[in-house]
Amino acid sequence: MTLPVINAFINFSTGPSFAQALILDTGILDTNALADAVTVDVSDQVSRIETTRGRNSLSDQFQTGALTLRIIDQNGDFNPQNVTGPYYNLLTPMRKVQITATYSSVTYPIFSGFITSYVTTYPKDSEEVAYTEIKAVDSFRLVFNAQISTVTGATAGDLSGTRINEILDEIDWPASQRDVDAGLTTLQNDPGSNRTALAALTTVATSEYGALYVDASGSFVFQDRNVTAGSIGGTPTIFADNGTGISYFDASWILNDVLIFNKATITRSGGSAQVALNQASIDKYFLHSYFLDNLLMQSDAVALDYAQAYVASRAETTIRVDSIVLDLYTNNYNTGIIAALDLDFFDPIKVITTQPGGSTLEKTLQIFGVRMNITPNSWRTTFTTLEPVIDAFILNDTIYGTLDYNVLSY
């Protein structure tokens, strides 16, 4: 059985630098930077890797990605006080770390980020193994730490993608580490208030009804609402337990009210509150309210469109796949391995599960979270899934939606 090969690199470059190190034969051209100090391949010392990237379903925001990298450290190389160690004076927080996987001559990014801590555990007796556990986060942490006030070049009428680039320019984020859609929403002037760069970016992405996240290679990605809604209409990767698709280890199906919202209040900066509600949903599920303030669309009419679209997309609920787990150690699992390494946010998947008595559960959803759990003897990839942030049929009606979908506004 052929399995992916893990590649783990730590870049102890001097001074802060956003770009990851360019490792010959594994780096991404025009994305990575040449390392200016020690770049270490620790692949053969890895005993466990855990990565988590994804979106909080309630806040509708992607979260900071995290990595736990456990390295066998029998020689004390990662002891910061080991003056004879190879990394003495290099073991500091915010050094860069990259995890990739190579399979069938293709190298896939798994995680790129910045080290926050080194925790070393030494053996209590001769039979235990010493190891260092490295914790890291992705680039979201860096823009959270960066404070801004004014945004150079920002003017009223900017499209959302233009404003995203202007904010990233303000903190000198490399152009090579961005994938920014033009956007569809025109914005007000930047408020010029003191805030984190992440807060500024998130406000723009929310005003677009789009998505902002860091991908597995460490680049910022901004997708407009055409992508966040429309990608569900693409050809899904099919996972099934009946032989009609890629097999899987486990699928968790859930039916609850967590994602129901039947009243939305959206307020732009300097505007009045725009409210949309679905009375039929309120009568059925009780009131589930949603509020957003200080967005940057230019008119109250667009804010109302946002509220209407949100309620139209969330007024009902159906059973969905909360998560699906792939076991890469399954025999003859080529298509499953490629799916586990290649699929990412907003990719559509269809999951089919056979139920007792011969009935089936079947749903097409988007991926909104990726978690990897890897050891020398196991590899499981978990996809968390959700329905689209905004339903494509609502998006295609007007800017966001209209009253045709049983939405009442006032």
Side-chain angles (χ1 to χ4, degrees):
M1 179 172 60
T2 303
L3 293 167
V5 175
I6 277 291
N7 315 296
F9 299 98
I10 300 174
N11 174 15
F12 294 112
S13 60
T14 56
S17 172
F18 294 127
Q20 295 289 337
L22 175 62
I23 311 299
L24 293 181
D25 299 324
T26 64
I28 304 172
L29 190 62
D30 297 326
T31 297
N32 302 123
L34 290 174
D36 58 357
V38 179
T39 300
V40 182
D41 183 349
V42 297
S43 306
D44 60 354
Q45 296 174 259
V46 172
S47 69
R48 190 182 77 208
I49 294 173
E50 296 178 1
T51 67
T52 303
R53 302 169 46 246
R55 172 175 165 266
N56 184 303
S57 60
L58 293 180
S59 67
D60 279 339
Q61 304 294 339
F62 284 91
Q63 306 296 301
T64 301
L67 164 72
T68 298
L69 174 65
R70 177 175 287 188
I71 295 175
I72 297 172
D73 188 18
Q74 290 292 77
N75 298 321
D77 292 344
F78 286 86
N79 173 4
Q81 293 186 342
N82 181 2
V83 296
T84 63
Y87 316 131
Y88 183 65
N89 281 337
L90 297 175
L91 295 169
T92 63
M94 292 292 106
R95 301 306 89 188
K96 294 178 283 293
V97 58
Q98 283 180 294
I99 309 296
T100 63
T102 301
Y103 182 72
S104 294
S105 301
V106 178
T107 297
Y108 300 87
I110 300 296
F111 185 90
S112 296
F114 301 83
I115 295 171
T116 56
S117 67
Y118 309 81
V119 180
T120 300
T121 300
Y122 292 104
K124 297 178 181 178
D125 57 58
S126 60
E127 293 182 357
E128 291 188 5
V129 175
Y131 61 85
T132 294
E133 195 165 83
I134 294 174
K135 301 282 189 179
V137 293
D138 69 16
S139 303
F140 258 19
R141 170 69 75 86
L142 300 187
V143 294
F144 174 78
N145 290 339
Q147 296 284 325
I148 65 169
S149 54
T150 59
V151 176
T152 304
T155 58
D158 279 346
L159 285 173
S160 53
T162 299
R163 187 67 56 82
I164 291 287
N165 277 319
E166 289 165 344
I167 296 169
L168 291 174
D169 288 344
E170 195 70 24
I171 61 171
D172 296 322
W173 191 266
S176 62
Q177 287 187 274
R178 309 179 194 179
D179 181 4
V180 178
D181 287 347
L184 302 170
T185 298
T186 55
L187 303 179
Q188 306 176 38
N189 199 357
D190 181 78
S193 56
N194 293 325
R195 67 238 192 252
T196 68
L198 180 58
L201 291 165
T202 299
T203 297
V204 173
T206 303
S207 299
E208 166 66 30
Y209 213 145
L212 176 77
Y213 59 88
V214 176
D215 67 16
S217 66
S219 294
F220 269 96
V221 179
F222 170 67
Q223 295 184 323
D224 65 31
R225 59 182 178 270
N226 272 341
V227 175
T228 59
S231 62
I232 191 68
T235 302
T237 300
I238 300 174
F239 297 92
D241 63 356
N242 60 8
T244 62
I246 300 170
S247 63
Y248 53 85
F249 176 76
D250 188 28
S252 298
W253 293 82
I254 189 169
L255 174 60
N256 60 20
D257 72 335
V258 170
L259 299 181
I260 294 173
F261 289 99
N262 43 39
K263 181 180 179 181
T265 303
I266 307 298
T267 309
R268 69 185 181 95
S269 180
S272 59
Q274 302 299 306
V275 183
L277 62 84
N278 186 307
Q279 190 61 51
S281 175
I282 295 172
D283 293 342
K284 186 175 181 179
Y285 300 115
F286 301 100
L287 182 64
H288 291 63
S289 300
Y290 182 79
F291 295 88
L292 279 176
D293 298 321
N294 296 316
L295 299 186
L296 292 177
M297 60 275 289
Q298 286 190 306
S299 71
D300 283 344
V302 174
L304 178 59
D305 284 339
Y306 192 125
Q308 292 173 336
Y310 198 91
V311 170
S313 298
R314 305 299 181 90
E316 270 297 341
T317 188
T318 61
I319 194 168
R320 69 181 191 278
V321 181
D322 196 44
S323 64
I324 180 171
V325 182
L326 309 184
D327 186 346
L328 275 59
Y329 272 62
T330 301
N331 288 328
N332 301 317
Y333 204 49
N334 179 63
T335 55
I337 290 173
I338 293 173
L341 298 176
D342 190 48
L343 294 177
D344 203 36
F345 304 148
F346 295 104
D347 286 334
I349 65 171
K350 178 188 286 188
V351 182
I352 302 171
T353 300
T354 304
Q355 293 292 285
S359 64
T360 60
L361 291 168
E362 181 175 327
K363 190 83 173 187
T364 299
L365 298 152
Q366 289 175 322
I367 292 174
F368 278 102
V370 181
R371 185 167 66 249
M372 301 276 189
N373 291 276
I374 307 166
T375 74
N377 300 310
S378 66
W379 187 322
R380 287 183 179 173
T381 296
T382 301
F383 295 128
T384 54
T385 62
L386 288 169
E387 293 178 343
V389 174
I390 177 173
D391 287 346
F393 78 91
I394 296 170
L395 174 76
N396 291 332
D397 185 57
T398 58
I399 298 177
Y400 291 104
T402 71
L403 301 183
D404 294 341
Y405 302 104
N406 194 31
V407 177
L408 303 178
S409 64
Y410 58 88

